[in-house]
Amino acid sequence: IIYYESSRGCPFRCSYCLSSVERKVRLRGRDKVEQELAYFLRQKVPQVKFVDRTFNCNKEHALFVWNYIKEHDNGVTNFHFEVAADIMDERQLAVLSDMRPGLVQLEIGIQTTNEKTLREIDRYADTGHIAQVVERLQRAGNIHIHLDLIAGLPLEGYTSFGHSFDDVYAMEPEQLQLGFLKVLKGSKMHDNCEKYGLVYLDEPPYEVLYTSWLSYEEVRRLKQIEEMVELYYNSNQFVTTLKLLVPQFASPFAFFEELAAYFAGQGYFLKAPARSYRYQVLYVFIREKGLPTELFRETLTQDLYLRENCKTRPAFAKDPVLYKEEIRRICQRAAKEPGQLSESYVGCDARTIARMTHIEPYFYDLTTGKKREQESFFLYDYTKKSPLTGEVSVIDVTALSEAE
C-alpha cells in the first residue's frame, strides 16, 4: 500500500479532527500529481490510499484525479479515497459509476446518525441524503464502499450508538468500520473534555475510555462487537448467511451484541478461532439460538465454497458420499457438453472438472431462505472470480445431475 496525499487541510469543522483547526485547503500541482500517479501505475502498486482529509471537497480536483486514473487504468492498481457523500454532484457520480470494478474504493465517514450529536460535533450532514448517494454508488456495482462510525461522541450513549449502527448497516456497505473517538490535543473536542466527561488514554492513540453518556463497561462491550463486525461482516466471508441470519434478531446491532456475548462466554476473545473454524463457531451459535440449522448449514457451506475450494470438509456440512453418483454424472456430462461451463474447461475430462470445481446440493433457495420443491445442484467455478467481491461464479447444474 502506498499512502499518498494530493491535498492538505479541510473546509469542514468537525470538532474531533485536527484538520478543523485550519480551514484552508491546499492542492498539489496537477503536473506533479500526474507524474506521481503515472509512476504508481507503471509500478503496478496494488493499492494507492489517498489520505486527503476530504478528497472531494474541491470538486474539480477530484474529477481531475478520477478521470486520470480511469483513462490510465492498468487493470491492477486500486485507489482508496475518503470522501464526503453529501457534497457529491452528478458529474462525480457519473465518473465513479464508469470505473472498472475494483479500480476505486470509497470511505465515507458517517460517524453517527444522532442529529443532536451531529450538531454538537459541528457536522451538518443529511443522513438521508447520504444513504441515497450510497445507494446510487452501489447501483453501478463497481465500487467498494466503506462506512465509518465513531463510538464515544458527545450526547451518544450505548443505545443511541446501536441505532446509528443499525442505520449504517441498512446501507449495506462492503465494510462497516466501527472506530472509537480519539481525543486529540488542539481539537475542539479536547477543549471540551470536562464538559463531556471525556476520559481517554494519555498516550497515543488517545482513545476514549468513557464519557458522560457511555460507561467504561459499555466501551468494552463495543470493542467486542467491533471484533465480531470485523470477523463476520467486514471479512465478506459470511455474506449469504448474514443476509438471512441477521433478520432473525431484533436488529443488526442486537445480533452482533449477542454473538459477542457468545464469543466471550466461550473464551474466544482470549483464544481466537482459526478462520476456517469460524464457520463452525457460527453454526453452533445458530443451533444454540434455536434457529433453523438445516437452512444455515447450507448458507455456511455456500459462504465457505464461494471463496475457496477447500479440501477439508466442515463438520456441519452434508456428507458428500450421499451425492457421489449425482456429482459423478454432472462432471461426465459437463465434459461431454463443455458449453455448460466456462471456456476454461473445454477439453477437460470429468476427473479434471471434478478437481477444478466444487459441486454442492441444496434444498433451500439461499437468497430467500425458502425450501425448494426438490434438491438442486450448484457448481462453483474457481476460474471466474468477481473483481469486486472475490466470490467465484456459481452455476445451477441440476439438469446435469438427473438420470437419463
Side-chain angles (χ1 to χ4, degrees):
I1 298 175
I2 291 289
Y3 290 91
Y4 181 69
E5 197 170 33
S6 71
S7 67
R8 283 186 179 170
C10 181
F12 303 109
R13 301 296 297 273
C14 305
S15 65
Y16 52 82
C17 181
L18 281 180
S19 294
S20 66
V21 176
E22 184 182 359
R23 297 186 66 180
K24 195 180 297 181
V25 177
R26 293 165 289 155
L27 306 176
R28 279 174 80 77
R30 289 193 176 188
D31 290 346
K32 190 68 173 173
V33 171
E34 278 191 1
Q35 290 172 19
E36 290 166 344
L37 292 180
Y39 178 74
F40 300 151
L41 288 162
R42 284 198 304 273
Q43 299 301 318
K44 295 190 176 180
V45 174
Q47 185 179 63
V48 177
K49 198 163 189 176
F50 278 69
V51 293
D52 306 48
R53 298 310 302 159
T54 305
F55 177 76
N56 64 326
C57 66
N58 184 301
K59 295 181 180 181
E60 296 305 320
H61 175 74
L63 286 169
F64 150 68
V65 172
W66 286 339
N67 277 313
Y68 183 87
I69 63 175
K70 184 177 76 168
E71 291 165 10
H72 298 83
D73 180 17
N74 61 12
V76 175
T77 304
N78 162 267
F79 293 87
H80 177 104
F81 303 92
E82 294 184 38
V83 299
D86 50 332
I87 63 172
M88 276 195 175
D89 61 20
E90 285 298 322
R91 291 187 301 160
Q92 292 181 346
L93 289 167
V95 170
L96 289 168
S97 66
D98 196 36
M99 299 281 194
R100 165 181 63 83
L103 174 59
V104 165
Q105 63 188 45
L106 300 179
E107 182 175 345
I108 299 169
I110 295 179
Q111 322 311 13
T112 177
T113 61
N114 183 319
E115 292 187 5
K116 290 182 179 179
T117 298
L118 286 169
R119 288 194 295 271
E120 188 67 23
I121 63 175
D122 299 327
R123 284 179 70 90
Y124 301 97
D126 181 338
T127 305
H129 177 61
I130 291 173
Q132 291 175 2
V133 171
V134 170
E135 192 275 331
R136 171 80 179 275
L137 289 165
Q138 290 171 328
R139 207 182 303 158
N142 64 333
I143 295 177
H144 263 284
I145 295 180
H146 300 192
L147 300 182
D148 298 344
L149 283 169
I150 297 179
L153 293 172
L155 307 182
E156 180 144 82
Y158 186 83
T159 301
S160 172
F161 183 82
H163 293 321
S164 291
F165 182 97
D166 291 338
D167 290 339
V168 173
Y169 190 92
M171 298 181 199
E172 300 183 353
E174 277 71 34
Q175 298 251 318
L176 197 169
Q177 297 179 2
L178 197 171
F180 292 81
L181 177 66
K182 312 295 190 295
V183 185
L184 305 176
K185 292 179 181 179
S187 68
K188 183 178 176 181
M189 186 67 69
H190 182 270
D191 295 341
N192 285 294
C193 276
E194 194 170 326
K195 174 184 174 182
Y196 299 141
L198 291 176
V199 176
Y200 59 94
L201 294 170
D202 57 5
E203 295 181 354
Y206 308 111
E207 195 167 89
V208 69
L209 296 172
Y210 58 90
T211 75
S212 294
W213 300 272
L214 194 66
S215 70
Y216 177 68
E217 181 57 36
E218 288 168 336
V219 170
R220 290 182 66 243
R221 285 165 65 189
L222 289 175
K223 284 282 185 181
Q224 293 180 338
I225 290 171
E226 177 197 23
E227 183 67 13
M228 294 300 91
V229 173
E230 287 298 314
L231 293 183
Y232 285 99
Y233 185 83
N234 290 343
S235 67
N236 287 305
Q237 293 169 3
F238 300 87
V239 173
T240 311
T241 300
L242 292 187
K243 281 185 178 176
L244 295 174
L245 178 59
V246 171
Q248 306 278 340
F249 293 78
S251 70
F253 186 72
F255 163 71
F256 287 103
E257 190 177 37
E258 291 195 39
L259 185 59
Y262 173 74
F263 253 63
Q266 298 297 314
Y268 289 141
F269 286 115
L270 300 176
K271 188 176 181 181
R275 184 182 64 80
S276 59
Y277 191 65
R278 291 171 199 156
Y279 296 84
Q280 180 68 26
V281 171
L282 187 56
Y283 177 75
V284 175
F285 169 76
I286 289 166
R287 188 179 63 198
E288 292 193 5
K289 290 294 178 182
L291 299 173
T293 52
E294 288 305 310
L295 167 61
F296 291 111
R297 179 201 304 267
E298 292 193 355
T299 64
L300 285 165
T301 302
Q302 159 99 321
D303 283 326
L304 185 63
Y305 285 102
L306 271 175
R307 292 191 165 267
E308 62 177 305
N309 191 2
C310 52
K311 302 306 177 187
T312 303
R313 188 80 168 164
F316 58 79
K318 301 170 188 173
D319 185 350
V321 173
L322 300 173
Y323 311 96
K324 188 174 181 180
E325 180 58 32
E326 288 92 338
I327 291 172
R328 182 188 64 79
R329 190 182 298 131
I330 290 168
C331 292
Q332 287 178 340
R333 288 185 178 173
K336 292 177 183 176
E337 307 170 39
Q340 299 282 346
L341 307 181
S342 69
E343 295 178 359
S344 303
Y345 300 95
V346 174
C348 292
D349 58 22
R351 183 174 294 181
T352 302
I353 291 173
R355 188 178 67 252
M356 292 175 64
T357 66
H358 175 74
I359 298 169
E360 190 72 33
Y362 293 119
F363 274 111
Y364 287 87
D365 181 325
L366 302 186
T367 302
T368 65
K370 294 180 180 178
K371 198 163 188 177
R372 300 174 185 273
E373 291 184 4
Q374 64 178 29
E375 193 172 40
S376 298
F377 286 82
F378 290 85
L379 180 145
Y380 295 79
D381 182 352
Y382 294 95
T383 68
K384 297 177 71 175
K385 281 192 175 184
S386 164
L388 194 63
T389 65
E391 294 179 354
V392 303
S393 176
V394 183
I395 306 165
D396 186 341
V397 291
T398 306
L400 298 179
S401 70
E402 297 167 355
E404 294 178 336

